[in-house]
Amino acid sequence: MSTQVNYDGPVNIGAALASVPTGGLTFLVHASGASGLSALPAGMVEPNGGFFTSVATASSRTRANRGDTIIALPGHTENIAAADGWPTAAGVKIIGLGWGTMRPTITLTAAASDLTMNDANVVIDNFRFIHSTTNVTKAFELTAAGIQFKNCYIQASDASNKMTTVMRLSSGADD
């Protein structure tokens, strides 16, 4: 009996078919580019998905529901100047490393800046979200189920510049 493996579908093991996890890719992000590799924790190797200078660019390379993870390294900074700043795929984890002011900082730089989360089961963990000296209409627009924000810090730049709506949930943003 031979075993045939197709990583994009089921595996033929004779009498039954079984799904095999396809294995998620890992994408590392640091604003300084490849020199950010020096910020890797001890023992961590270069990622199989690649190294990018922005979460936005890494997000555009992720695959839906395949277990892909984006890891932003300590000290990463990124500006979002338009709507839908991170084009995520369903089932992607976006994780920031670091603590306090060393965790990745995302700055919303225009009134229309936002993260539109319209794919299900996306996790955003351990980021600082701030905005520059402009009023932001809405920072986060959630339109899909199962979206999680964990350990994130959201800050207005000063008393006169605010986020009018921090997080807007549509009817599909449940669970």
Side-chain angles (χ1 to χ4, degrees), residues 28-39 51-54 73 76-77:
L28 292 185
V29 175
H30 195 277
S32 66
S35 63
L37 288 172
S38 64
F51 196 87
F52 297 89
T53 57
S54 73
L73 298 174
H76 170 67
T77 59

Side-chain angles (χ1 to χ4, degrees), residues 47-60:
N48 56 4
F51 196 87
F52 297 89
T53 57
S54 73
V55 173
T57 305
S59 292
S60 69

